[in-house]
Amino acid sequence: MDVSVEKKIQLLETMIVSRKFSDALKQLCKIKDKIPGMMIVADGQEAVGSGVCGALEPDDAIITNHRSHNHLLAKGADPKALMAEIYGKKTGCNKGKSGTLHLAVPEINAPCTTTVVGATLPIAVGRAFAQQYRKQPRVTVCFFGDGAADEGSFHESLNLAALWQLPLIFVCENNLYAGGQRYEEHTRVTDMADRAGGYGMPGMIVDGNDAPAVYRAALEARQRAVSGNGPTLIECKTYRWGGHSETDPHEYQPRDEIKAWRDKCPIRRLSEALLDQKVITAAQMAQMTSQAEGVVEEAVRFAEQSPYPAPREALEDVYT
Amino acid sequence: MQKLGMGQAVNQALREEMHRDPGVFIAGEGVGVSIHVNPMLPTHGLLEEFGPGRVKDTPVSEAVIAGLAVGAAEAGLRPVVEIMFNPFFTLASDMIVNHAAKLRYLSGGKSRFPLVVRIKSGAGFGAGCQHSHNLEAWVAHCPGLQVVMPATPADAKGLLKTAIRDDNPVIFIEHMGSYFAPPMPVPEEEYLTPLGRADIKRKGRDLTVVTWSGMLGPAMNAAETLSREGIDIEIVDLRTLTPLDRKTLLSSVEKTGRLIVMHEATRTGGFAGEIAAVVLEQGFEYLKAPLRRVTGPDIPVPVSPPLERFYIPNADDLIAAVRELLP
């Protein structure tokens, strides 16, 4: 299936916004008392969120994990509300309750970012069940890393999703590292997608740095799900350029390995292809970049200018 | 008035709510096709009445049963899922403690999680400590959850109906002994029993016994025995641990000046400690005597009948505690 030029440009734009957003966070988190908590970004992995979310309809849901920014931006979250939340401000999408690691954006059907590794899976099962129960032609996407595939919740969730043929796409974003542990150090299975067969669902392997390829795979899985043919496990093979978090010196990642993967940058790859095919011009590319920078600058300005919540607002929102 | 066991009352509540609201569904291990077929059990006959689309037998997968509830509730359904026995809560606990309880807060109040987790609980079946372990204090310790523990069939029906309609997660703990106790009157008409309100099951002037769930029966028996000696016990059935009805608790202690808290769960870190703290903080001046706890000892629930009987607090234990406090 050919991916349209318009779609490719959209995928590229999303990835550039994600990268610029991350670039800003990597700087901001180094400034004392600027950003609370641990900063986790996903540089080099932008094609996964962009490609998968590019295949979704607005009413489709995503459940995402600690490395969520790319997913949420690709799903359509407001960068200003995200940035303000990351700052811990009152105007943040969760009024300062969640911060960078638990961003919840239910208005775009991204109701949960969970930091408990493997916890996206059972929740996604519930979200997909609701879609099936109401006979809605919608899907839920569940993002998780390769480390989460070692949790018990992975087993329970894939088994039940396949048993009930839920409209669910399990997206394993295999970035080769689970914390400080290399992929080969946490499982014997060469391809995580192989585990799908053990649950009676199709597994797909896709180049996770190729946004149109990820998009095609997600579209196929979505079609299967809404046709009533159940879940799919898509393994997106990609790479985490940085450490687990911005304070992780990540000496366990060989420097030549990082360099090799940086050369496979998903943004450069798609933009060069589009430039080579003369689908976009260098000027258009520069404009996309400066547009993305503008979006992020505006988000940072909004967050900077927003007030903190009053301390006693901590007591609100536990119950309805 | 109809007389029902607690399981039958739960069954009636589920039936009524499923008829009322198509968004209510139930799921769990053996909620449809069960290894135990008994009309006294809570989900008996529901599969036949509502079909497999709404009565979902699940694999033996507690984590995903609880996750199913979290995800479906966020999407606007009203799941009522069952954890077969209280100790198996540990297998579902990440979804309940870290997600059902916290995701609304993490959303800044945007999302709601109208889910009920029904848990069967209580010793007395020789089932052993991995099937019998009262963990209500664990869940009561989690902001974001509400913990309901009915002691009578009538309360079970009214509280469960309220719990299903509530927009916040409810942990609904049923004492299995009550399924097979002699049936008790349950109103046939529609009624809702509010969460967060204790019920004075016996009025008295000399001493307050605060209890809940399976210990109401022994407490009532003890009060009856003591009344023959002219000792007048007031029994406060908490019904919901969180939210806690401090008002009823404190006004009862203000009246009687003496307090015993009785629960089947083990002693250390048990919810009696919280009751004691509330009274010491807000009603210290009411107390004419030290308070006492009548609880299970700090041991796992043993299997052998004399050992298990030793574990479960009974009317005699309560009577002994009362005698310590009354001059």
Side-chain angles (χ1 to χ4, degrees):
Chain A
M1 185 201 70
D2 280 342
V3 179
S4 72
V5 168
E6 294 74 24
K7 180 54 80 174
K8 282 180 182 168
I9 292 173
Q10 186 206 324
L11 298 177
L12 179 60
E13 281 172 342
T14 306
M15 289 197 290
I16 296 171
V17 170
S18 297
R19 178 71 59 82
K20 295 298 171 191
F21 196 84
S22 169
D23 285 345
L25 290 177
K26 283 179 292 181
Q27 294 306 313
L28 292 164
C29 74
K30 293 195 182 80
I31 304 169
K32 190 172 182 301
D33 297 334
K34 181 70 80 184
I35 308 279
M38 185 194 280
M39 182 52 66
I40 290 182
V41 297
D43 289 12
Q45 303 177 213
E46 294 85 354
V48 178
S50 167
V52 170
C53 293
L56 301 182
E57 299 295 328
D59 287 336
D60 294 336
I62 66 169
I63 305 291
T64 174
N65 64 356
H66 54 281
R67 215 171 289 284
S68 70
H69 301 160
N70 296 349
H71 308 149
L72 295 170
L73 288 164
K75 187 72 170 77
D78 173 9
K80 294 207 298 281
L82 291 185
M83 189 61 82
E85 184 60 39
I86 291 168
Y87 267 71
K89 297 295 183 75
K90 185 183 171 70
T91 53
C93 53
N94 311 125
K95 303 193 260 181
K97 303 280 176 29
S98 73
T100 181
L101 291 179
H102 318 82
L103 297 157
V105 198
E107 58 271 29
I108 57 152
N109 288 303
C112 169
T113 296
T114 173
T115 62
V116 180
V117 172
T120 57
L121 293 102
I123 297 170
V125 165
R127 203 53 163 66
F129 173 77
Q131 291 161 331
Q132 183 188 62
Y133 187 88
R134 290 177 164 147
K135 300 183 170 56
Q136 294 166 330
R138 302 196 181 130
V139 299
T140 296
V141 166
C142 175
F143 288 105
F144 57 99
D146 49 305
D150 298 338
E151 291 278 6
S153 56
F154 173 90
H155 172 71
E156 291 192 23
S157 300
L158 268 72
N159 183 57
L160 188 63
L163 181 71
W164 288 357
Q165 292 288 281
L166 295 178
L168 186 40
I169 308 174
F170 292 103
V171 177
C172 179
E173 192 162 3
N174 182 355
N175 63 13
L176 282 186
Y177 286 89
Q181 199 169 37
R182 222 186 127 71
Y183 183 83
E184 293 81 4
E185 293 168 347
H186 74 80
T187 181
R188 281 273 174 207
V189 181
T190 308
D191 299 310
M192 209 56 97
D194 282 352
R195 292 191 182 177
Y199 300 100
M201 76 173 76
M204 303 169 79
I205 298 172
V206 59
D207 179 342
N209 284 28
D210 181 348
V214 174
Y215 165 78
R216 277 195 302 270
L219 210 59
E220 186 186 325
R222 188 184 185 282
Q223 189 51 42
R224 183 178 299 124
V226 295
S227 313
N229 294 317
T232 304
L233 171 60
I234 302 178
E235 177 184 5
C236 298
K237 289 188 185 289
T238 182
Y239 188 79
R240 194 185 78 196
W241 288 4
H244 171 70
S245 70
E246 287 309 289
T247 52
D248 171 8
H250 66 119
E251 280 157 11
Y252 49 84
Q253 285 174 261
R255 289 315 186 239
D256 55 344
E257 178 184 271
I258 297 174
K259 186 182 175 307
W261 278 92
R262 277 183 170 272
D263 290 343
K264 294 191 259 187
C265 170
I267 295 173
R268 197 200 302 165
R269 180 163 167 181
L270 183 55
S271 62
E272 283 180 0
L274 293 175
L275 287 164
D276 283 352
Q277 294 157 18
K278 304 204 184 313
V279 169
I280 57 168
T281 63
Q284 276 175 304
M285 182 62 199
Q287 199 203 346
M288 263 189 248
T289 305
S290 70
Q291 217 160 21
E293 283 165 351
V295 166
V296 174
E297 278 164 23
E298 191 195 350
V300 171
R301 196 163 44 242
F302 175 75
E304 288 278 347
Q305 290 169 355
S306 291
Y308 280 107
R312 292 190 66 79
E313 287 175 41
L315 298 173
E316 296 168 6
D317 302 322
V318 181
Y319 299 98
T320 58
Chain B
M1 196 184 294
Q2 61 178 346
K3 288 192 170 180
L4 302 176
M6 185 181 281
Q8 292 174 300
V10 166
N11 187 280
Q12 202 166 79
L14 290 170
R15 218 175 270 270
E16 287 179 12
E17 292 306 296
M18 289 179 80
H19 277 298
R20 184 188 62 82
D21 181 351
V24 177
F25 75 94
I26 67 170
E29 296 159 13
V31 295
V33 179
S34 174
I35 56 172
H36 305 290
V37 179
N38 186 327
M40 302 306 282
L41 290 173
T43 57
H44 183 82
L46 296 178
L47 175 63
E48 291 71 18
E49 184 161 348
F50 295 99
R54 296 181 70 193
V55 178
K56 306 294 293 182
D57 272 325
T58 67
V60 187
S61 302
E62 286 79 8
V64 80
I65 290 169
L68 175 71
V70 174
E74 197 283 328
L77 299 183
R78 291 191 179 267
V80 183
V81 298
E82 180 177 305
I83 298 296
M84 196 181 267
F85 298 108
N86 204 333
F88 306 170
F89 163 81
T90 54
L91 296 164
S93 57
D94 171 56
M95 279 298 129
I96 295 170
V97 172
N98 285 318
H99 296 92
K102 295 175 184 168
L103 289 183
R104 171 177 172 76
Y105 193 72
L106 287 173
S107 78
K110 286 179 181 169
S111 298
R112 48 187 63 189
F113 294 86
L115 63 91
V116 178
V117 181
R118 290 183 40 252
I119 303 178
K120 296 184 201 161
S121 168
F125 297 86
C129 57
Q130 294 170 344
H131 283 64
S132 304
H133 188 172
N134 294 62
L135 294 173
E136 68 262 26
W138 284 21
V139 271
H141 194 56
C142 299
L145 302 179
Q146 302 174 101
V147 182
V148 178
M149 292 188 80
T152 68
D155 282 348
K157 181 180 165 188
L159 288 165
L160 182 55
K161 286 169 67 78
T162 307
I164 290 170
R165 297 185 196 190
D166 197 280
D167 281 338
N168 301 292
V170 174
I171 308 302
F172 193 91
I173 302 176
E174 298 160 19
H175 193 272
M176 288 182 289
S178 309
Y179 296 163
F180 307 107
M184 291 170 68
V186 176
E188 271 149 75
E189 69 275 12
E190 163 97 359
Y191 65 97
L192 296 168
T193 307
L195 307 188
R197 266 193 237 155
D199 186 42
I200 297 177
K201 287 288 194 295
R202 187 182 196 284
K203 280 198 181 302
R205 59 169 195 278
D206 296 329
L207 185 147
T208 298
V209 173
V210 171
T211 192
W212 54 89
S213 189
M215 288 295 102
L216 178 66
M220 294 292 276
N221 291 341
E224 189 56 37
T225 303
L226 290 165
S227 74
R228 285 180 227 128
E229 302 172 23
I231 298 172
D232 194 14
I233 304 292
E234 175 143 305
I235 295 184
V236 176
D237 173 9
L238 277 189
R239 301 198 294 196
T240 66
L241 273 52
T242 51
L244 176 63
D245 184 354
R246 289 180 175 77
K247 192 162 163 273
T248 300
L249 167 66
L250 288 163
S251 58
S252 177
V253 176
E254 184 177 17
K255 180 172 72 173
T256 66
R258 293 178 179 84
L259 173 64
I260 295 173
V261 189
M262 183 178 194
H263 61 57
E264 185 184 302
T266 52
R267 192 174 191 84
T268 303
F271 202 70
E274 182 62 26
I275 303 297
V278 167
V279 171
L280 293 180
E281 279 179 338
Q282 295 175 262
F284 185 70
E285 65 275 20
Y286 307 148
L287 289 172
K288 299 177 204 159
L291 58 85
R292 286 281 182 274
R293 289 178 288 172
V294 176
T295 70
D298 285 330
I299 55 170
V301 176
V303 169
S304 167
L307 302 182
E308 191 183 38
R309 277 197 295 275
F310 173 81
Y311 172 86
I312 302 172
N314 58 32
D316 290 341
D317 299 328
L318 179 56
I319 290 168
V322 170
R323 294 199 198 286
E324 283 181 43
L325 295 189
L326 282 170

